[in-house]
Amino acid sequence: LQKILILLHVTACVVVGKTLLILFPNAMKRYILKQGEKSRMNENPKFSYENWGPTFFSFKYLLFVLKVKWKRLEDEAYEGHPAPNTPVVTSNGEVRHLFDFLQDNRPLILNFGSCT
């Protein structure tokens, strides 16, 4: 049921977005670029709206958003329920799952960080 609701919501957003993109291309370009500012995407010197802007609200865009949102359904954690077996990337780039690191009855501690 959740997947169907997500499908309906994302499809409606894409249809409305595509319609607005066709009817008001300049206004939608400004809107999309404004969203890029919020995500700091515009700070990339190789950023060019012409390279990726037209892909918004396309069929590929719809499929990608659906895939991400449906995958996130599996990753949600709820109080009192078992933890999700979320995929993680090790420091050497290998993709594993959280439960791969469990050992007997020992607690599992996750430490997040970043390097630049």
Side-chain angles (χ1 to χ4, degrees):
L1 181 61
Q2 285 180 317
K3 284 188 175 184
I4 292 171
L5 292 174
I6 290 171
L7 171 66
L8 293 174
H9 179 257
V10 172
T11 302
C13 289
V14 168
V15 168
V16 169
K18 188 66 163 182
T19 303
L20 291 173
L21 194 60
I22 292 168
L23 295 176
F24 309 103
N26 292 332
M28 286 301 288
K29 179 178 179 178
R30 285 192 306 273
Y31 172 77
I32 292 169
L33 288 171
K34 192 70 159 173
Q35 297 305 310
E37 287 175 15
K38 288 181 182 179
S39 68
R40 297 175 48 199
M41 187 180 350
N42 296 355
E43 293 177 14
N44 183 342
K46 296 180 181 178
F47 174 82
S48 171
Y49 174 82
E50 285 70 24
N51 290 339
W52 60 267
T55 66
F56 266 69
F57 310 117
S58 66
F59 186 68
K60 281 186 177 183
Y61 175 87
L62 170 73
L63 294 179
F64 176 77
V65 173
L66 283 176
K67 179 181 172 185
V68 169
K69 288 188 173 279
W70 285 348
K71 184 69 178 154
R72 286 186 181 164
L73 284 176
E74 300 168 11
D75 294 342
E76 290 188 23
Y78 300 98
E79 187 175 344
H81 294 346
N85 192 16
T86 305
V88 294
V89 180
T90 65
S91 57
N92 62 357
E94 181 183 358
V95 177
R96 306 270 304 273
H97 286 82
L98 282 181
F99 295 173
D100 296 341
F101 299 97
L102 289 175
Q103 296 177 359
D104 301 321
N105 254 355
R106 297 175 61 193
L108 178 63
I109 298 173
L110 302 176
N111 185 14
F112 297 92
S114 68
C115 299
T116 54

